[in-house]
Amino acid sequence: MLRGRKENTSTELQYRALSDQALIRAFVLPTIVLLVFVNIFPLFWSLILSFSNFTAKFPLVWGKNPKFLGIEQYIRLLADPAIWGRFITTAKYVILSVGGEMILGFGLALLLQIKFKGREVITTLLVLPMTMSPVIVGLMWKLFYDPNWGMFNYLLGLGKIDWATDIKYNLYAAVIADVWMWTPFVMLLALAGLGAIPQYLYEAAEVDRASWWHKFTKITLPMVWPLLLVALIFRTMEAFKVFDIAMGISGRGATAPQLLSIYLYDTAFVNWKTGVGSALGYIVLIMIIAITNIFIKYLNKAKQ
Amino acid sequence: MAAVNRKKVSVTRILVIILIVIITFVYMVPLLFVIDTSFKPWTMIKEWPPRIFFKPSIAPYIRIFTARTVYPPGTTLTQEQIDNMTWYQKIVYQESNEEIVRRGDFPLRYLNSLIITVVSTAITILMATFAAYAFSRFKIRGKNDILFFILSTRMLPAVVVLIPIFLMFRKLGLGDNHIGMIILYTAFNLSFAVWVLKGFIDEIPIEYEEAAMVDGYTRFQTFWKIIVPQAMTGIAATAVFCFIFSWNEFGFAFIMTKSRAQTIPPWLPYQMGVLGYDWGAAAAGAVLFIIPALVFTIILRKNLVRGITFGAIRK
């Protein structure tokens, strides 16, 4: 449509097309400049840092701080069994929390397909946890978990389990809070997917006297699957780098769950190993890209 | 037969509705417990089993707003001294035997959260509306690549860019600074806002603008007088989302701010009172902090799906 206008040769419109170019620049450039300044430039900077032993604690002395180590730092990190231990803990966290969210979220969405008075109120109430601050959700759950005056153990009759600071349980404490917070996310996407299924498919199945299970596996699931995958991708990416819920519940250091993301923060900003932190950050980044790419491949297949 | 069938259906229906209501109630329990705790009198907070019903006290809310010292043991105040107290001093004295010495840090942190969130949201929306309009209406070389670039900045683990930003801001004097935080949050939300707003502007028929331009409006006038009013609902929804994101943000604030520009999320969980962690005050602070986000969520509910998928799914 716009191209059509530009082909018009009247002088007034040519002037307008020219000012369009200026307008585009004025409209788009501020955004691009800010993103380059705050995202892209730092991204390359930390890539360079990741090959060095730089520490932000001491002043810059070329050749000493930073001293360039090349690929050595990555090799050292990837050979460190402690890192792999944290990676496994993180993987456990991601699988348990995202798995729980997918099952519960989809289940809730299936139940909420029934239309009734007050359905919207219920949906809104269920969605509330999602829009709270994760660290405050962590704090709330810390209170809820407290073995001496919290409700959690009391309601479930669990005795005096110290969910927040006992390293046997604190990972699961974070998983439960994460599931509580993010199940509504999956539920909302699943509801959007379920709402988009054309009714005539069910009516046709009804004519064929298809069983409930048959309708579910042959109509509902395939139709919602792409949206469930979108939810899965979003949640996996987020869960992989999450640390605020866990930090709200367990704080940091020895009492915190041994997640990669918390370790990353400690390395970069507590122990001030800036170079090592950057390298770890890149390892996490590459892992996230790899995992999401696998999911996106499935998504594209599912969409066909 | 048909009647029996219908009856069966309506019975399952009612059972499912009851189930949904029960689940929703259970789901709300952690939140309700925090609200409950925020009104608990001092002596009941550490009771076992936890008490649910009690005469509510406003004291936790007074405690989160104030800094206090405990009266030395054995101190007895004269009746006159008690009579001279303000109502809030009296409540705190009677409940936890504390003296209010000054205003607490909570109001300032809350104000920081408010200033940083509101200003960054305003700037984000301004920049994003311009950019989204340009991306929606013009042919721009490499448009899809630029849009993907914009989106990808949001997907990065924050910590990868946070290290250089920390170094850069320290050099520029933007550490623990309102302007620094506003820049960060604006950049953080910009990619999201551009994507969602582009979706909203795409939906406005281009014919309106063409008619206006035929009438002699300049490009900017059509943008300002036609597009912006038409997209107002979308702009408002996007602004509310940006508000919620910045309001809740923890990672950046935790690293970048120490005191002067510190917001609530990195502050509230790490507050130790003189009597140990004051759960009543913390719960009161949490309740006050989540209220804006909850209110906005209720306003937003129709646009939630659209927001959380960056505009990919338009219900």
Side-chain angles (χ1 to χ4, degrees):
Chain A
M1 260 174 268
L2 284 162
R3 255 171 301 163
R5 192 174 299 121
K6 275 179 198 151
E7 279 155 20
N8 195 320
T9 47
S10 95
T11 46
E12 194 212 7
L13 283 179
Q14 253 179 359
Y15 164 74
R16 205 173 262 170
L18 193 73
S19 83
D20 273 0
Q21 281 309 313
L23 195 88
I24 293 172
R25 253 174 245 136
F27 276 20
V28 173
L29 272 183
T31 296
I32 303 291
V33 168
L34 185 65
L35 287 179
V36 168
F37 173 69
V38 182
N39 278 307
I40 301 308
F41 175 57
L43 192 63
F44 285 108
W45 190 344
S46 68
L47 182 64
I48 295 167
L49 282 177
S50 75
F51 293 109
S52 80
N53 70 346
F54 184 66
T55 163
K57 205 161 133 191
F58 300 116
L60 194 115
V61 183
W62 288 105
K64 266 179 124 176
N65 180 36
K67 192 172 98 190
F68 282 87
L69 306 168
I71 199 81
E72 195 190 318
Q73 183 134 272
Y74 282 92
I75 295 172
R76 209 185 298 156
L77 279 173
L78 290 174
D80 185 352
I83 303 280
W84 284 101
R86 284 169 194 275
F87 176 69
I88 289 167
T89 311
T90 306
K92 220 192 226 172
Y93 180 85
V94 172
I95 291 168
L96 288 176
S97 61
V98 178
E101 284 150 22
M102 295 301 291
I103 293 167
L104 289 176
F106 188 40
L108 275 174
L110 285 175
L111 287 180
L112 278 169
Q113 268 185 298
I114 299 187
K115 301 269 181 292
F116 60 94
K117 227 170 127 188
R119 179 173 173 270
E120 207 193 324
V121 177
I122 294 270
T123 323
T124 310
L125 280 176
L126 286 173
V127 161
L128 291 181
M130 196 177 87
T131 50
M132 295 176 197
S133 177
V135 75
I136 303 299
V137 167
L139 178 71
M140 285 166 51
W141 276 84
K142 186 184 182 175
L143 167 67
F144 196 50
Y145 281 138
D146 194 286
N148 295 317
W149 53 83
M151 246 354 210
F152 189 77
N153 288 339
Y154 177 72
L155 286 177
L156 297 180
L158 285 176
K160 297 263 172 199
I161 296 175
D162 189 355
W163 289 89
T165 50
D166 189 332
I167 46 165
K168 269 206 304 263
Y169 302 107
N170 58 14
L171 182 72
Y172 305 105
V175 165
I176 293 169
D178 194 296
V179 169
W180 182 74
M181 181 164 179
W182 291 112
T183 292
F185 179 89
V186 180
M187 182 193 85
L188 271 181
L189 286 188
L191 271 175
L194 289 170
I197 300 176
Q199 211 51 47
Y200 66 80
L201 288 178
Y202 289 112
E203 282 155 17
E206 205 73 48
V207 172
D208 292 344
R209 291 179 172 275
S211 66
W212 178 86
W213 178 247
H214 193 81
K215 278 189 274 186
F216 180 74
T217 52
K218 289 287 180 311
I219 302 173
T220 314
L221 210 49
M223 295 291 282
V224 196
W225 189 235
L227 269 183
L228 286 180
L229 268 176
V230 169
L232 187 70
I233 292 170
F234 269 88
R235 282 314 310 147
T236 308
M237 269 166 71
E238 291 294 318
F240 212 93
K241 41 187 191 183
V242 85
F243 60 94
D244 27 21
I245 291 181
M247 270 166 77
I249 297 173
S250 311
R252 303 199 327 196
T255 58
Q258 309 292 296
L259 292 171
L260 211 47
S261 49
I262 294 181
Y263 182 63
L264 225 172
Y265 264 81
D266 284 346
T267 309
F269 295 106
V270 178
N271 304 324
W272 293 109
K273 293 180 182 165
T274 318
V276 183
S278 303
L280 260 176
Y282 260 88
I283 292 173
V284 171
L285 177 62
I286 290 164
M287 281 174 175
I288 291 178
I289 292 174
I291 294 167
T292 21
N293 265 325
I294 295 170
F295 284 147
I296 288 173
K297 255 191 203 129
Y298 272 107
L299 180 66
N300 288 334
K301 236 185 240 160
K303 271 187 174 162
Q304 276 164 13
Chain B
M1 187 65 194
V4 173
N5 221 343
R6 205 177 304 139
K7 200 181 245 168
K8 205 176 117 200
V9 167
S10 72
V11 168
T12 15
R13 200 184 122 87
I14 287 165
L15 285 178
V16 170
I17 292 172
I18 291 171
L19 183 65
I20 290 171
V21 172
I22 292 171
I23 291 173
T24 310
F25 179 75
V26 171
Y27 216 79
M28 291 293 105
V29 165
L31 186 58
L32 293 174
F33 182 57
V34 171
I35 298 172
D36 193 59
T37 307
S38 79
F39 289 105
K40 245 181 211 176
W42 178 255
T43 48
M44 288 180 196
I45 285 174
K46 301 197 171 176
E47 259 178 29
W48 185 268
R51 205 190 284 234
I52 302 168
F53 300 104
F54 45 81
K55 191 166 160 280
S57 158
I58 196 78
Y61 286 88
I62 299 171
R63 290 205 302 278
I64 188 72
F65 274 98
T66 55
R68 303 157 315 278
T69 53
V70 187
Y71 284 108
T75 322
T76 37
L77 299 183
T78 60
Q79 192 56 42
E80 195 189 359
Q81 276 172 310
I82 293 171
D83 286 342
N84 282 337
M85 283 177 174
T86 56
W87 61 271
Y88 51 88
Q89 285 171 328
K90 206 178 284 174
I91 292 175
V92 169
Y93 166 67
Q94 281 160 355
E95 248 196 58
S96 52
N97 191 33
E98 286 175 308
E99 184 185 9
I100 294 170
V101 287
R102 59 181 170 83
R103 191 184 58 203
D105 289 337
F106 181 80
L108 281 177
R109 298 294 188 274
Y110 206 90
L111 196 65
N112 282 341
S113 273
L114 212 57
I115 292 170
I116 292 169
T117 302
V118 169
V119 176
S120 76
T121 300
I123 300 174
T124 307
I125 290 301
L126 195 70
M127 289 171 73
T129 313
F130 285 137
Y133 175 71
F135 282 122
S136 170
R137 291 299 196 249
F138 293 107
K139 240 181 100 66
I140 297 172
R141 208 148 38 91
K143 177 153 86 180
N144 287 336
D145 293 333
I146 299 175
L147 276 170
F148 182 74
F149 152 72
I150 289 176
L151 181 67
S152 67
T153 60
R154 178 63 178 247
M155 301 299 168
L156 293 172
V159 73
V160 179
V161 289
L162 195 50
I163 292 169
I165 288 174
F166 177 82
L167 300 174
M168 193 156 72
F169 276 26
R170 198 169 64 171
K171 259 250 141 52
L172 297 172
L174 291 173
D176 200 10
N177 179 304
H178 291 84
I179 296 170
M181 290 311 289
I182 289 167
I183 294 174
L184 265 184
Y185 284 174
T186 303
F188 174 67
N189 277 332
L190 205 47
S191 54
F192 164 82
V194 169
W195 270 76
V196 177
L197 278 174
K198 181 182 174 294
F200 279 111
I201 294 175
D202 282 344
E203 282 170 12
I204 301 169
I206 201 159
E207 283 75 19
Y208 292 142
E209 286 160 272
E210 285 175 340
M213 299 229 290
V214 168
D215 286 349
Y217 276 46
T218 64
R219 204 23 115 162
F220 189 80
Q221 280 173 327
T222 41
F223 166 73
W224 196 247
K225 294 192 174 146
I226 310 287
I227 294 297
V228 170
Q230 290 270 336
M232 218 42 190
T233 327
I235 291 174
T238 314
V240 170
F241 266 108
C242 292
F243 182 97
I244 292 176
F245 288 142
S246 305
W247 186 254
N248 290 344
E249 207 283 332
F250 170 72
F252 288 130
F254 183 65
I255 299 302
M256 302 299 298
T257 64
K258 291 286 167 279
S259 61
R260 212 156 52 90
Q262 198 174 38
T263 53
I264 295 278
W267 176 82
L268 190 60
Y270 305 101
Q271 283 320 294
M272 282 292 186
V274 272
L275 298 171
Y277 198 88
D278 182 349
W279 274 113
V287 169
L288 291 175
F289 182 71
I290 59 179
I291 284 174
L294 297 190
V295 170
F296 278 137
T297 309
I298 292 165
I299 296 171
L300 252 192
R301 59 188 187 279
K302 300 254 188 261
N303 283 305
L304 268 178
V305 174
R306 193 169 179 151
I308 57 177
T309 58
F310 283 53
I313 291 149
R314 294 162 193 170
K315 205 160 71 167

